[in-house]
Amino acid sequence: MLLLRRRLPIPLLTLASSLHRSFASTAATAAGAPTTTSSIPPCTVQIDLAEGAVDTIGAKHRQIIGPRTLVVSTPGDRAEDPHVQRVLARLRGVGIQCGTFSMLERYPTTQAVDEGVVIAKRMGAQSVVGVGGGGVLDLAKGVAALACARGGGARDHLRVFHNEKALSAHRLAIVTVPTTASTGGGSVGHRSFVLYEPEEALVPLYAADLTPDVAVIDPSLTSTLPSQAERAMALSAVSVCFDALACGSARATLEKNGMAGLIITCATELGAGMRLAGGGKPGDKKEQRRKRMHLAQGSVTAGQLLGLVEAPPIQSLALCLAPLFPLASYSQLTAVLLRSYLAVLADRQQQGDMGRLDVFNEAFLRQMGGVICGSDSGGGAVGLLELAEWVWGQSQQAGIRRLADYRVPDKEEKTGQALTAQVTSVLELFQVEGGVALETDVVRDVIDVSLGS
């Protein structure tokens, strides 16, 4: 333990080392239901990634969007949102009739999906264009799917009842326009997550493929993000690299579908973008454009990775925890969980007590860590401890706090043990396949570290 005590930052050390438990004395229980196989559709989205891409959305993609579209946007007054106004102007400029619908909550609800469907049907929309963060893009996908459903509302199609109705493959065209640097999964992924109020968790719609037809990735839309928010979003995308590795640690799995190459590409782009964010000159417009492009490319690759992973541990926990900590953005939450996972694993590795977590491909993890940390690592491979230190430092610069600090005041405060039990039950409810990084013992440690308890 001396090495860990010497090298980890003091707050991280205190949290991680206080949680050490022996796998020999604790029977790890899989958090998910019995393994089920499901086919993951290939990423077929048409990606339009360029500075200023949003300015050609109408002219370039008019055939896909059709003569009438519903634009789903971020919460707030659309008249004050320059991104939404920019999209509406470009669509209307080529003669496309646009209806508008705003998501009023942080995450899409079944009621919001149903309300959007009513508007889409009433105007005879041929497509849905989502402009905003991950929640807005999920809402847009849900509206596009339910607008063509044979019957039932969004709640009838949530994958939580085991007798839910599968959505047909027929849907409206979907175009996504992300305005944050970490919504790769929402902008190119094939899933849509909706809030299931009884369990206070985000659960997937029962649809085989909600991959957008077009994803317009315009890095200029992130130019007004505060630096701390930008860094938190980049860490959120970095968490996907860990998720992909945690679920694909066997060499054969990493080689399947080019997953290993996607992980390295994602890590390289995000690492380069974060270094420019930390050391670039604020007034250097060329350097700022390079930074935004690196982060956008990393985000898109993260979205492609998520399409290949059935049970990403950080994303799965975040979907269960996000509604319980509404003061945290999804990016902040996944950054907290990434920091905690690495702290727990680094602690156990230092203790020589990795247990079944030894299935991680250590050599590949060191390669991934090296390209993420880049010049900060001296150009060499980076192990768990060094990666944990780097993520801790980045999260401090992003203003990431303890998970407990993101609770709503006066709301019941659940302990780490109670949260672990709730997370486990929700994962079983919507049949998330359990892996070693989602075993109850690991989840409990990660949640406790995240809370700062």
Side-chain angles (χ1 to χ4, degrees):
M1 190 62 190
L2 291 178
L3 179 60
L4 182 63
R5 189 175 298 277
R6 183 173 68 251
R7 299 190 64 182
L8 277 180
I10 294 300
L12 188 60
L13 164 66
T14 304
L15 296 177
S17 61
S18 66
L19 289 165
H20 177 70
R21 299 184 180 92
S22 171
F23 269 11
S25 62
T26 306
T29 304
T35 300
T36 58
T37 57
S38 60
S39 60
I40 301 175
C43 184
T44 56
V45 60
Q46 177 183 339
I47 298 174
D48 187 1
L49 196 165
E51 286 270 350
V54 74
D55 292 322
T56 60
I57 183 173
K60 186 180 292 185
H61 308 297
R62 183 176 182 178
Q63 185 173 357
I64 292 173
I65 295 171
R68 290 181 297 277
T69 188
L70 177 65
V71 177
V72 178
S73 65
T74 53
D77 186 353
R78 287 188 301 272
E80 298 178 1
D81 189 328
H83 301 324
V84 178
Q85 290 303 309
R86 190 172 169 186
V87 170
L88 288 171
R90 300 306 182 270
L91 295 176
R92 288 168 175 162
V94 295
I96 297 174
Q97 297 178 33
C98 300
T100 56
F101 180 63
S102 285
M103 185 176 78
L104 300 179
E105 306 292 337
R106 180 181 290 272
Y107 299 108
T109 62
T110 54
Q111 180 180 351
V113 174
D114 291 341
E115 290 175 355
V117 167
V118 170
I119 297 174
K121 288 182 174 180
R122 185 181 299 157
M123 65 174 294
Q126 286 84 33
S127 63
V128 181
V129 178
V131 184
V136 168
L137 305 186
D138 277 352
L139 177 58
K141 293 179 187 179
V143 170
L146 268 296
C148 299
R150 296 185 181 91
R155 193 175 189 277
D156 300 307
H157 298 280
L158 293 181
R159 194 150 207 164
V160 292
F161 301 112
H162 308 300
N163 61 349
E164 63 275 4
K165 302 174 184 177
L167 288 162
S168 71
H170 182 55
R171 58 170 174 77
L172 302 182
I174 301 170
V175 177
T176 55
V177 186
T179 59
T180 66
S182 65
T183 53
S187 62
V188 303
H190 67 278
R191 299 181 180 96
S192 172
F193 292 92
V194 178
L195 180 65
Y196 178 51
E197 288 88 345
E199 292 290 342
E200 294 185 284
L202 295 167
V203 299
L205 284 171
Y206 189 10
D209 185 7
L210 291 179
T211 304
D213 297 276
V214 177
V216 179
I217 317 291
D218 188 339
S220 69
L221 299 182
T222 67
S223 61
T224 58
L225 286 174
S227 60
Q228 285 193 332
E230 184 179 58
R231 195 175 294 273
M233 290 172 184
L235 284 172
S236 179
V238 169
S239 74
V240 177
C241 296
F242 173 85
D243 274 346
L245 180 62
C247 295
S249 55
R251 190 170 304 279
T253 306
L254 285 173
E255 292 173 353
K256 183 180 179 182
N257 297 319
M259 184 183 287
L262 284 175
I263 293 175
I264 294 302
T265 298
C266 185
T268 301
E269 295 292 343
L270 293 171
M274 294 179 78
R275 282 189 291 280
L276 285 170
K281 300 176 182 178
D284 191 332
K285 294 183 178 180
K286 184 177 180 180
E287 196 165 85
Q288 291 299 310
R289 284 196 297 270
R290 284 178 55 214
K291 173 198 67 177
R292 293 195 300 267
M293 182 59 73
H294 280 303
L295 294 179
Q297 290 172 328
S299 174
V300 170
T301 310
Q304 293 172 318
L305 275 173
L306 282 179
L308 302 175
V309 179
E310 278 298 302
I314 290 178
Q315 308 304 316
S316 296
L317 291 191
L319 291 168
C320 296
L321 294 172
L324 302 175
F325 297 91
L327 298 183
S329 67
Y330 191 81
S331 296
Q332 290 171 325
L333 179 59
T334 49
V336 170
L337 292 171
L338 172 64
R339 184 175 71 187
S340 301
Y341 257 107
L342 293 174
V344 168
L345 294 183
D347 185 19
R348 291 186 172 184
Q349 187 180 67
Q350 291 295 299
Q351 293 283 345
D353 189 21
M354 287 288 281
R356 291 184 60 205
L357 291 167
D358 271 335
V359 300
F360 284 91
N361 189 318
E362 175 67 17
F364 192 79
L365 185 143
R366 292 180 64 83
Q367 181 186 1
M368 181 188 80
V371 295
I372 289 176
C373 300
S375 58
D376 295 342
S377 66
V382 170
L384 269 174
L385 181 60
E386 293 83 2
L387 186 57
E389 291 176 328
W390 184 84
V391 169
W392 176 261
Q394 292 291 326
S395 68
Q396 285 184 310
Q397 293 184 56
I400 303 298
R401 305 192 296 273
R402 302 175 309 148
L403 196 57
D405 295 328
Y406 295 112
R407 298 182 191 270
V408 172
D410 302 325
K411 189 175 181 179
E412 178 189 1
E413 293 189 5
K414 297 183 180 180
T415 64
Q417 184 175 358
L419 286 171
T420 301
Q422 179 168 344
V423 164
T424 301
S425 67
V426 172
L427 292 177
E428 291 174 345
L429 186 66
F430 61 93
Q431 298 178 319
V432 168
E433 176 188 345
V436 291
L438 277 175
E439 288 181 345
T440 302
D441 196 47
V442 180
V443 170
R444 182 176 61 244
D445 282 2
V446 169
I447 289 178
D448 282 343
V449 171
S450 299
L451 288 171
S453 55

